[in-house]
Amino acid sequence: MNHQESLTAYIAAFVAELFSSGITDVVVSPGSRSTPMAMVMAEHPQLNVHIHVDERSAAFFALGMAKASNRPVAILCTSGSAAANYFPAIVEAHYSRVPLVVLTADRPHELREVGAPQAIDQIHLYGKHVKWFAEMALPEENMEIIRYARTVCARAAAIATQAPSGPVHLNFPFREPLIPKLDDALFQLAERQKGYVKVQNGDLTIDHEHFQEMAEIVMGKERGIIVCGNMADNQFAEAVTQLSKVLNFPILADPLSQLRSGKHSLENVIETYDTFLRNEDAKTFLKPDVVLRFGAMPISKALSIFLKENHAVEQIVIDGGGGWRDPAALSTNMLFCNETIFCEKLVTFLETKSSSGYMQYWKKVNRLTKENMAPIKDLTALSEGKLFYQLADMLPEGATLFVGNSMPIRDLDSFFLNNDKSIKVMANRGANGIDGTVSTAIGAALYSKSLYLVLGDLTFFHDLNGLIAAKLYNIDINIILVNNNGGGIFSFLPQSEHPKNFELLFGTPLDIEFEHAVRMFTGKFTKIKDWDHLDKEMKNTIENTGINVFEVVTKRDSNRDQHREFWQSVSQEISIFVKGAQ
């Protein structure tokens, strides 16, 4: 059998197994060495092949699809620096537990380390940021190698989705000539047409005795809190709110926990803790004696400090991915158990507690904070705090809200209040970077209709070329661009106390007219004049198609001052309440 036939049979078997393993989306960046894989993928009748010329944006685009669909997505690129450009998205996928199957084409072994063009060392290129790496065998068409290719494919897809989900990397060396033989029999496999090997992943859990032990701990505590970070399990909200009801513990719900918006009970969900936990009286008054924590670490620095200051109390971390989400070394119990299963099963070991003053204190402080937050709606100038305060009202039922890092995600944490509109909130909070945000949101928009992206000007600039995917594939996305002409978050950090080179090093104003860039991608651009204008435009977004960008111009210094004035006002009210309640 000649080289072309061996190449074709090997790759066709692998691609067929991709689909059999549950992968329906692949993102391909054009290149020479990846030619055989790309051509065969394009022939598969049930694979959705998305072309993205920029590897960095391509990987984030795939990341967004995987985040929104909860299924692995494959990415393919040629050899050399193309593979290196995948790295930022792979890092994000690793830390945010998103399944990706990374396929990199490579020079054959005889062309490595001898000065051949477009050849770099791709062996373990991504280090520990991938769950598994395999250097694939050179293509042959004997049954052992075909079985090998199919088995490795199934194994890679299974490892990517096994808790904790994450990226895997397969490196394919290909010799020239690179053109496969395409015909009608391309995917007619000699055996096991519906997949070579099925891999079943199970959920982590703990035994009966450990559930009994946890029940005894929490039943013996009156001042307990439940802290919920980023969660992707759709069943978790009902399970944890039921556990909260039985234990009579308040839930401190990060906006990415999917607990602040939905049809589940919001009665015990506390959402303004980022504001009132800046107050020393409140922190002392609300001191817990046990903490149950689910999901990733919360966004709120105030909450993280509160947990650190209570390091002496029992802190129980439940992690269905078997990781170690405990940067401050606070946990007294680390439970590797699926979070929903834990809540549902622990309830069966408990008796419903009567209403406690501790729960009522949390609710009262939360209510006072919201009452003091309400005047923000009367602000006439465009501001970031008011924008996020009004988002829940502006967005349609069932919308997806994707939020950029730095200040937007923090403003969301502070001002996005409980509602029943089932708004799904997403962000790239694995490595917390600003890179790839546009591409990730556009990828998510393929599987999340009515998607709204809110981000800052630096984040938008950082991934402007990601807009090409929305243009090429007619993906609808509404983007609220908060333009404060620079890095707004640094105004809240110690660097701001050193004004001499602050703008040069941290403020970094770009002075960009984004309208020109948006129109380059055939998008629609609207500069918002005032709040009535934004309200009108947001009401029209349900009918919008394509790329729609709404620029909201704010001032960094004014935003900082408004935050500080708000925190001070709330703090005074909370201190008055606490002193009266003691």
Side-chain angles (χ1 to χ4, degrees):
M1 178 168 291
N2 64 33
H3 167 76
Q4 185 186 41
E5 291 172 336
S6 297
L7 178 72
T8 305
Y10 177 84
I11 295 174
F14 180 88
V15 171
E17 199 68 28
L18 267 182
F19 180 76
S20 296
S21 299
I23 295 174
T24 58
D25 289 292
V26 295
V27 181
V28 177
S29 294
S32 176
R33 192 59 52 166
S34 54
T35 292
M37 183 75 78
M39 291 182 68
V40 171
M41 283 178 166
E43 291 294 316
H44 196 286
Q46 293 166 296
L47 280 182
N48 302 314
V49 178
H50 312 270
I51 305 300
H52 204 309
V53 297
D54 182 328
E55 285 84 5
R56 189 181 78 159
S57 290
F60 278 108
F61 181 60
L63 178 81
M65 281 190 277
K67 283 172 76 81
S69 66
N70 291 317
R71 296 196 305 269
V73 174
I75 53 178
L76 170 68
C77 71
T78 190
S79 62
S81 61
N85 280 303
Y86 276 167
F87 211 156
I90 289 170
V91 169
E92 177 62 30
H94 171 74
Y95 286 106
S96 58
R97 301 182 176 183
V98 177
L100 292 179
V101 177
V102 183
L103 311 175
T104 55
D106 201 354
R107 293 309 199 244
H109 302 76
E110 67 272 15
L111 293 181
R112 299 176 184 176
E113 305 297 333
V114 293
Q118 207 169 328
I120 67 171
D121 184 357
Q122 296 178 197
I123 306 301
H124 293 287
L125 179 61
Y126 309 115
K128 294 182 179 179
H129 292 98
V130 292
K131 296 180 66 179
W132 184 53
F133 167 78
E135 163 78 341
M136 298 297 289
L138 285 159
E140 298 179 33
E141 198 206 19
N142 61 64
M143 288 309 299
E144 286 78 9
I145 290 296
I146 297 297
R147 290 168 185 153
Y148 155 83
R150 296 180 70 185
T151 300
V152 170
C153 181
R155 182 179 176 186
I159 292 174
T161 55
Q162 182 183 43
S165 296
V168 297
H169 176 205
L170 305 180
N171 193 58
F172 285 83
F174 292 135
R175 289 195 178 109
E176 295 181 344
L178 298 169
I179 304 301
K181 182 180 180 181
L182 306 178
D183 56 38
D184 293 339
L186 191 60
F187 301 108
Q188 291 182 9
L189 301 170
E191 54 185 3
R192 304 186 192 180
Q193 285 282 335
K194 294 183 179 180
Y196 193 76
V197 55
K198 300 295 183 185
V199 185
Q200 302 296 329
N201 285 326
D203 292 314
L204 285 175
T205 188
I206 56 177
D207 60 28
H208 180 94
E209 288 73 18
H210 284 111
F211 275 110
Q212 184 65 52
E213 179 185 350
M214 290 302 107
E216 291 172 1
I217 291 174
V218 295
M219 286 300 290
K221 308 290 185 181
E222 293 298 324
R223 299 171 64 89
I225 62 173
I226 300 172
V227 177
C228 295
N230 191 351
M231 289 291 297
D233 186 349
N234 294 331
Q235 308 302 314
F236 177 69
E238 289 291 347
V240 75
T241 51
Q242 179 61 27
L243 177 63
S244 167
K245 181 179 179 181
V246 171
L247 287 174
N248 209 22
F249 287 178
I251 300 173
L252 281 61
D254 185 277
L256 297 173
S257 68
Q258 315 309 327
L259 289 170
R260 293 194 192 181
S261 183
K263 307 305 181 194
H264 55 275
S265 172
L266 299 170
E267 181 182 359
N268 294 342
V269 176
I270 307 296
E271 77 269 50
T272 66
Y273 53 82
D274 181 64
T275 297
F276 65 72
L277 287 181
R278 298 171 189 270
N279 176 277
E280 293 300 324
D281 292 329
K283 288 195 291 183
T284 301
F285 186 60
L286 299 172
K287 179 181 174 66
D289 53 21
V290 65
V291 178
L292 290 174
R293 188 165 65 75
F294 300 90
M297 284 300 295
I299 294 163
S300 171
K301 186 174 183 179
L303 176 54
S304 294
I305 291 172
F306 180 66
L307 294 175
K308 287 180 184 178
E309 291 173 345
N310 287 285
H311 59 85
V313 311
E314 293 201 66
Q315 298 203 25
I316 303 166
V317 177
I318 299 93
D319 189 350
W324 201 269
R325 288 167 157 172
D326 188 20
L330 299 173
S331 59
T332 56
N333 298 80
M334 183 68 69
L335 307 181
F336 297 150
C337 180
N338 175 276
E339 294 85 354
T340 299
I341 291 175
F342 177 85
C343 293
E344 292 175 342
K345 192 163 183 179
L346 184 62
V347 165
T348 65
F349 288 79
L350 305 173
E351 295 180 2
T352 301
K353 290 185 178 181
S354 58
S355 179
S356 70
Y358 184 66
M359 169 72 91
Q360 296 309 313
Y361 290 148
W362 277 93
K363 289 183 177 181
K364 177 63 175 178
V365 171
N366 194 55
R367 187 163 56 251
L368 274 173
T369 304
K370 288 195 283 189
E371 289 171 358
N372 280 271
M373 188 184 294
I376 199 172
K377 66 179 180 293
D378 298 324
L379 293 175
T380 55
L382 294 174
S383 71
E384 294 161 40
K386 181 172 178 177
L387 171 64
F388 284 92
Y389 181 79
Q390 295 188 148
L391 264 181
D393 291 333
M394 291 179 174
L395 297 179
E397 176 81 22
T400 296
L401 174 61
F402 201 106
V403 184
N405 283 319
S406 294
M407 278 311 298
I409 192 67
R410 288 169 174 81
D411 281 331
L412 184 82
D413 194 13
S414 296
F415 297 106
F416 186 73
L417 304 182
N418 292 348
N419 61 86
D420 64 356
K421 297 177 76 170
S422 299
I423 297 168
K424 183 178 182 180
V425 182
M426 301 176 70
N428 281 346
R429 293 300 292 176
N432 300 354
I434 66 170
D435 43 347
T437 301
V438 175
S439 296
T440 310
I442 292 172
L446 274 174
Y447 287 103
S448 301
K449 300 308 177 186
S450 296
L451 188 137
Y452 294 75
L453 169 62
V454 184
L455 77 176
D457 53 298
L458 293 186
T459 303
F460 192 47
F461 166 75
H462 208 276
D463 193 27
L464 268 175
N465 58 344
L467 292 173
I468 190 63
K471 176 182 182 292
L472 292 177
Y473 297 105
N474 298 314
I475 300 172
D476 301 333
I477 184 168
N478 293 293
I479 301 173
I480 301 176
L481 167 61
V482 181
N483 189 352
N484 57 26
N485 200 25
I489 192 171
F490 292 106
S491 298
F492 292 81
L493 300 180
Q495 293 93 316
S496 64
E497 304 302 321
H498 301 272
K500 181 180 178 181
N501 292 308
F502 178 78
E503 284 297 295
L504 172 68
L505 298 175
F506 305 106
T508 58
L510 299 179
D511 296 309
I512 288 179
E513 294 292 337
F514 285 102
E515 179 176 1
H516 305 297
V518 172
R519 297 202 185 283
M520 181 173 71
F521 295 100
T522 67
K524 306 179 191 71
F525 181 91
T526 304
K527 178 167 283 191
I528 298 302
K529 302 172 185 175
D530 51 39
W531 292 113
D532 289 339
H533 186 201
L534 178 60
D535 184 62
K536 178 182 176 182
E537 292 295 333
M538 288 295 288
K539 287 177 180 176
N540 294 332
T541 56
I542 297 176
E543 306 298 327
N544 285 351
T545 58
I547 303 168
N548 295 274
V549 177
F550 308 99
E551 184 183 51
V552 178
V553 177
T554 64
K555 296 180 179 180
R556 279 185 271 137
D557 290 346
S558 296
N559 183 53
R560 178 199 59 206
D561 294 344
Q562 286 173 5
H563 276 72
R564 288 176 177 172
E565 290 170 6
F566 166 65
W567 291 331
Q568 184 177 3
S569 172
V570 171
S571 184
Q572 291 173 349
E573 293 296 325
I574 297 302
S575 291
I576 292 171
F577 165 72
V578 169
K579 290 171 183 177
Q582 288 177 331

